[in-house]
């Protein structure tokens, strides 16, 4: 897979981050994917994908404050960078182009 | 008020502050005794579900510093062994992963599913994280094997 291309799960992660401005951290991203995409995602999956996206410079992160319910551990918040946004646009556009003309076939699949 | 209790294992609980620092929201109460620093900081978290401060205080009095405690509905933290295995994960954000697993335990799993199932979910998160980590090199090996087959096929055709 090309370095700037996105996998299916990576695409969901980037969309979840965009949906959660200023509160995109591991658990919230996982919840968002489960609620909206109806996909089961473990925290391990989410953090592995986030690490990969950060290596590709598609997202950046910063550390937040510690809270008691996290056992005193801090949250790591994520933000989509310009490169990530471009990759996401490219990926969504490709899906749209591929789906064009066959919407009637795939429309009622869910 | 207290019911016949279940036994919970407690390790090295040091209570550094009391009710002033416990956050109470009608249903759940947290109290945190925080000691140590940095990544290895030890944290004793006591969670009391739907109990008054009086019960909370009585529960604390029943907790010895080392050993087991008997308390009505008191539920103790996520499984320490699973947490330890998570700490061994060679991941950049393992501390954050453990934090999220712990937050999920206290705020989602425990109130909705109860202590036992919440602990199972915590274990599942740990096992899943390790499986993903272990699967990466295996996927690499599978990729190499695939490449090997392609090379074999090409060589076979060329040598014919």
């Amino acid at each position: 897979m090309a370095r700037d291309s996105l996998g299916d799960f990576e695409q969901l992660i980037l969309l979840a981050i965009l949906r959660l401005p200023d509160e995109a951290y591991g658990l919230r991203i996982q919840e968002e994917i489960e609620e909206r995409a109806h996909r089961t995602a473990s925290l391990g999956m989410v953090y592995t994908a986030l690490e990969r996206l950060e290596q590709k410079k598609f997202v950046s992160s910063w550390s937040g404050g510690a809270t008691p319910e996290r056992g005193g551990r801090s949250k790591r918040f994520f933000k989509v960078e310009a490169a990530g946004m471009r990759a996401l646009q490219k990926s969504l556009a490709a899906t749209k182009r591929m789906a064009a003309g066959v919407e009637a076939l795939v429309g009622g699949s869910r | 008020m207290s019911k016949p209790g279940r036994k919970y294992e407690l390790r090295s609980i040091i209570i550094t502050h009391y009710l002033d620092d416990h956050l109470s929201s009608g249903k759940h109460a947290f109290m945190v005794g925080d000691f140590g620093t940095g990544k290895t900081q030890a944290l004793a978290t006591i969670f009391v579900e739907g109990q008054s401060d009086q019960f909370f205080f009585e529960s604390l009095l029943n907790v010895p510093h080392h050993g087991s405690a008997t308390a009505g509905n008191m539920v103790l933290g996520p499984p320490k062994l699973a947490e330890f295995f998570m700490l061994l994960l060679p991941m950049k954000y393992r501390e954050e992963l453990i934090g999220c697993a712990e937050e999920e335990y206290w705020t989602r799993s425990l109130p909705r599913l109860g202590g036992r199932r919440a602990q199972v979910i915590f274990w599942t998160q740990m096992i899943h994280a390790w499986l993903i980590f272990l699967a990466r090199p295996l996927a690499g090996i599978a990729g190499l094997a695939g490449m090997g087959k392609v090379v074999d096929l090409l060589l076979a055709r060329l040598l014919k």
Side-chain angles (χ1 to χ4, degrees), chain A residues 25-27 30-31 34 41-45 47-48 50-52 54 61 63 67-76 78, chain B residues 23 30 32 39 41 43 45 83 87 91-93 95-104 106-108 125 128-129 132 136:
Chain A
Y25 67 97
L27 187 63
Q30 185 213 21
E31 280 176 346
E34 284 184 351
S42 73
L43 288 168
M45 279 169 81
Y47 273 103
T48 307
L50 285 168
E51 275 191 32
R52 205 166 47 230
E54 200 170 27
S61 69
S63 195
T67 53
E69 69 271 19
R70 293 175 63 83
R73 292 181 177 87
S74 59
K75 290 175 184 170
R76 181 155 288 274
F78 291 86
Chain B
L23 315 168
F30 294 94
V32 174
K39 288 190 172 183
Q41 86 174 171
L43 200 89
T45 305
E83 208 170 292
L87 266 175
M91 279 175 71
K92 192 177 168 189
Y93 295 134
E95 282 283 332
E96 287 81 358
L97 188 143
I98 299 169
C100 282
E102 206 158 306
E103 186 179 341
E104 181 188 41
W106 291 118
T107 61
R108 281 169 63 180
Q125 293 285 13
H128 212 271
I132 288 165
R136 268 192 285 180

Side-chain angles (χ1 to χ4, degrees), chain B residues 67-86:
Chain B
S68 62
T70 304
N73 284 336
M74 202 165 96
V75 181
L76 295 180
K80 290 287 164 204
L81 190 61
E83 208 170 292
F84 172 72
F85 283 128
M86 272 187 185

Side-chain angles (χ1 to χ4, degrees), chain B residues 1-158:
Chain B
M1 184 115 186
S2 69
K3 297 171 187 171
R6 284 159 61 184
K7 284 200 166 184
Y8 296 95
E9 285 294 321
L10 272 183
R11 284 184 194 170
S12 308
I13 284 219
I14 300 172
I15 294 155
T16 53
H17 28 249
Y18 179 52
L19 291 171
D20 285 348
D21 292 334
H22 98 259
L23 315 168
S24 183
S25 67
K27 213 175 171 195
H28 309 115
F30 294 94
M31 174 172 166
V32 174
D34 189 357
F35 48 97
T37 53
K39 288 190 172 183
T40 54
Q41 86 174 171
L43 200 89
T45 305
I46 293 163
F47 179 88
V48 179
E49 188 173 6
Q51 300 296 338
S52 67
D53 287 350
Q54 182 60 32
F55 175 81
F56 185 70
F57 184 65
E58 283 167 7
S59 301
L60 289 178
L61 290 180
N62 288 332
V63 176
H65 277 207
H66 296 278
S68 62
T70 304
N73 284 336
M74 202 165 96
V75 181
L76 295 180
K80 290 287 164 204
L81 190 61
E83 208 170 292
F84 172 72
F85 283 128
M86 272 187 185
L87 266 175
L88 298 179
L89 270 166
M91 279 175 71
K92 192 177 168 189
Y93 295 134
R94 66 172 174 274
E95 282 283 332
E96 287 81 358
L97 188 143
I98 299 169
C100 282
E102 206 158 306
E103 186 179 341
E104 181 188 41
Y105 179 91
W106 291 118
T107 61
R108 281 169 63 180
S109 314
L110 192 61
R112 290 181 202 171
L113 306 166
R116 187 164 292 196
R117 286 177 72 184
Q119 292 217 337
V120 171
I121 288 172
F122 196 94
W123 274 102
T124 313
Q125 293 285 13
M126 185 279 290
I127 292 166
H128 212 271
W130 265 105
L131 282 178
I132 288 165
F133 171 72
L134 293 171
R136 268 192 285 180
L138 288 178
I141 291 164
L144 279 177
M147 286 284 284
K149 277 194 173 180
V150 172
V151 171
D152 281 352
L153 275 170
L154 285 171
L155 279 175
R157 285 200 171 195
L158 284 171

